[in-house]
Amino acid sequence: METRIQVLSEDEKAQVHERTLKVLGTTGLRCDTEEGRRILQAAGADVDEATRRVRLSADLVESLLEQATTSFVVQGRRPGWSFPLGAGAFTLLADGGATSVYDAATGERRPTTWDDWRAATRLLDALDDVGFYWCPVDYAPDFEQPGGLVRYFTDVFAVFGKHVQDSFGTPELVPWLKELLDIVFGGPAEVRARMPLSFLITPTSPLTIERGFTQTWLGLRDYGLPVAVMPMPLQGATAPGSRLATLLTANVETIGTLCLVQAAAPGTQVMYAPVVATMDPRTGLYAAGAMEHAVLCVAATEMARWYGLPAESSGLCTQTYQPDLQTAWEKTGGGLLVTLSDPDVLVGPGLLGGATVLNLEQILLDVEVIRHARRARSGVPVRDDLWLDDVLERVGPSGSFLGERSTRTGVHAGEWRLSDFGVQGSWDAWQAAGAPGSMTAARERIAAILSQQVSLSYSDDQAAALAALQRRADAAS
């Protein structure tokens, strides 16, 4: 008896799909990559070069959808680590792109530094709840230059040992990444087999397959990198002013991009990953903590399941710029709802201010929120050995179950989730410990984790090859 949530009925999901087919066939998408237009035209799409508009018939969309892989396993550098997508498993994905850091110790918001990047990445690597990585802060101004790109991915694969999901929008840098992947993972065949990196394509709302990231993936497609398709339509701004129309826009952009991916490289593994969001009509800003955002992301997860695709969802979001009670209710409300929809991957731990501000303590707080949410998802197990009506009969009215073997068995078997974070005991025990707050406890926990965290080292041969690659990349920048 698992806890479930439902936004769309089966009939409503079918309606979203049928409307998607209509939009793709009549309005179509603008495709800003020339190679992408050629690929879709060769597959049977109607292409207008003057407007860059691409229209896909219903039959073409259905045939390309059939080529998408419904389940697959990704790996990382960490020996023995893997994650199955489309198989009922769940993990967190570090959110990306923060431009500032909230330092809880000083109460200051400041620009990010490389030390912030390293601390956050080491912490995320240490948390088993986080299986996927997206760079949590702006790494460096030269990221989309050969030297910066090589330095970034060299650092990432050294510090984060699980699966990396990232992207860049400069197709000319593709050869540099391929060479780096060859050094780190042992060549194209090993990359295709292990899938340690997935590539993020972000269609531009409304209804545009942008050039940079899409063209970059096209240059990488022979390496078999999985794709996460992540449009970010904003209700009332870059999508129409209803939740239903915003969901439709997201689905059109996701399925249209999936069609290009499958036409370019049939069988490519795809994650259905739209961030279906809403604006605050009072400001025009992204309303990160809005409940509508979370509900729309639940609906998107349901559409992913309807298509049989792995679901990467959002919703663990907040508008606040420092951790406080509003952060708690927004992150908990959104995180719980989306977790109950059971996506494969949930984006978001650690960022504030609509994913613009990093806070290390918030990473731990968000992980704890999702641990609670996953517990809620587990519901109430129903098995013959759990009724315990014989125990109820034996103890009878006015009795106590504290000393019963079944109570001890239940504790050890997971009938209780016993968190080791936060306040658990009596007032006196809490006072005796110095009356610590959640932020203090998180800061102390982070210090302990980072004092013990050991990153994966490269072999001598790998280190020498990467250093030589870095020198050439720097010279080319």
Side-chain angles (χ1 to χ4, degrees):
M1 188 188 299
E2 292 185 335
T3 309
R4 300 188 180 277
I5 188 171
Q6 180 179 335
V7 172
L8 300 173
S9 67
E10 288 300 308
D11 178 67
E12 288 164 346
K13 284 179 272 190
Q15 288 184 54
V16 172
H17 177 62
E18 290 302 318
R19 298 265 181 170
T20 296
L21 294 178
K22 180 181 178 182
V23 173
L24 287 172
T26 55
T27 307
L29 299 170
R30 194 180 88 182
C31 181
D32 285 343
T33 160
E34 182 179 353
E35 184 179 3
R37 294 194 300 274
R38 289 200 306 268
I39 289 168
L40 286 170
Q41 188 170 43
D46 176 45
V47 176
D48 183 336
E49 280 295 330
T51 62
R52 302 179 182 176
R53 192 72 66 91
V54 175
R55 295 175 176 86
L56 296 86
S57 69
D59 288 344
L60 177 58
V61 174
E62 298 285 11
S63 67
L64 291 171
L65 272 168
E66 288 178 1
Q67 297 180 22
T69 303
T70 59
S71 61
F72 53 97
V73 177
V74 298
Q75 299 180 32
R77 277 195 73 219
R78 182 184 294 182
W81 186 90
S82 64
F83 183 80
L85 288 136
F90 175 89
T91 194
L92 289 169
L93 164 62
D95 206 349
T99 56
S100 61
V101 169
Y102 175 72
D103 188 330
T106 64
E108 295 178 347
R109 179 183 171 190
R110 55 172 175 75
T112 59
T113 66
W114 186 85
D115 288 339
D116 296 320
W117 172 84
R118 182 170 174 78
T121 303
R122 292 181 65 221
L123 177 60
L124 292 162
D125 186 55
L127 296 169
D128 291 338
D129 310 75
V130 181
F132 281 37
Y133 177 88
W134 184 9
C135 188
V137 299
D138 279 354
Y139 176 76
D142 66 345
F143 170 66
E144 299 221 4
Q145 295 290 326
L149 185 91
V150 169
R151 189 173 297 107
Y152 169 70
F153 280 105
T154 297
D155 283 347
V156 167
F157 289 127
V159 179
F160 191 82
K162 293 165 281 186
H163 184 76
V164 175
Q165 181 178 107
D166 221 318
S167 59
F168 54 96
T170 310
E172 296 77 17
L173 297 180
V174 164
W176 296 100
L177 179 58
K178 286 183 175 180
E179 187 170 350
L180 185 144
L181 292 172
D182 289 347
I183 294 169
V184 174
F185 295 102
E190 276 296 303
V191 174
R192 284 191 291 269
R194 295 172 63 179
M195 293 185 280
L197 172 67
S198 53
F199 196 84
L200 195 62
I201 297 179
T202 53
T204 303
S205 301
L207 306 179
T208 303
I209 299 176
E210 56 77 52
R211 180 186 181 278
F213 293 93
T214 308
Q215 189 63 44
T216 300
W217 175 78
L218 288 170
L220 287 164
R221 67 186 186 274
D222 58 323
Y223 268 51
L225 301 183
V227 173
V229 182
M230 186 182 282
M232 303 179 189
L234 198 63
Q235 178 190 351
T238 59
S242 75
R243 283 164 285 176
L244 185 59
T246 304
L247 177 64
L248 174 61
T249 303
N251 199 60
V252 169
E253 293 164 349
T254 304
I255 298 304
T257 305
L258 178 149
C259 287
L260 171 56
V261 169
Q262 295 306 317
T268 293
Q269 294 84 359
V270 175
M271 289 167 250
Y272 183 104
V275 178
V276 196
T278 186
M279 73 161 182
D280 185 334
R282 297 165 296 189
T283 63
L285 297 174
Y286 161 46
M291 187 52 66
E292 293 88 347
H293 179 22
V295 172
L296 283 167
C297 288
V298 171
T301 300
E302 293 175 353
M303 289 307 303
R305 297 295 181 227
W306 192 83
Y307 287 115
L309 295 169
E312 181 174 308
S313 196
S314 186
L316 186 60
C317 308
T318 184
Q319 194 64 43
T320 59
Y321 296 94
Q322 64 186 47
D324 64 9
L325 285 175
Q326 182 180 340
T327 312
W329 79 61
E330 289 181 345
K331 291 254 189 182
T332 301
L336 175 61
L337 276 186
V338 180
T339 299
L340 291 178
S341 71
D342 204 26
D344 298 83
V345 182
L346 177 58
V347 183
L351 295 197
L352 305 163
T356 63
V357 181
L358 170 70
N359 175 249
L360 292 184
E361 291 86 352
Q362 193 65 49
I363 293 176
L364 283 190
L365 297 176
D366 288 346
V367 166
E368 186 65 16
V369 165
I370 298 305
R371 287 173 180 171
H372 279 283
R374 290 296 291 173
R375 182 60 171 181
R377 178 74 173 83
S378 70
V380 179
V382 177
R383 298 196 313 265
D384 287 346
D385 63 310
L386 295 176
W387 288 107
L388 302 179
D389 43 354
D390 56 327
V391 180
L392 190 63
E393 180 179 358
R394 184 175 64 255
V395 174
S398 301
S400 171
F401 298 89
L402 281 173
E404 289 295 314
R405 180 184 298 273
S406 58
T407 301
R408 296 194 299 274
T409 298
V411 171
H412 292 296
E415 281 294 307
W416 283 260
R417 178 182 176 263
L418 302 175
S419 174
D420 64 351
F421 186 81
V423 178
Q424 312 295 340
S426 67
W427 167 273
D428 291 340
W430 177 62
Q431 287 285 308
S438 297
M439 293 296 286
T440 300
R443 195 173 306 122
E444 292 173 353
R445 179 73 59 88
I446 290 168
I449 290 172
L450 295 183
S451 71
Q452 301 176 30
Q453 178 66 4
V454 178
S455 298
L456 293 170
S457 59
Y458 291 118
S459 69
D460 290 344
D461 288 346
Q462 287 176 318
L466 288 168
L469 178 65
Q470 187 67 65
R471 287 193 292 272
R472 288 194 287 114
D474 288 339
S477 297

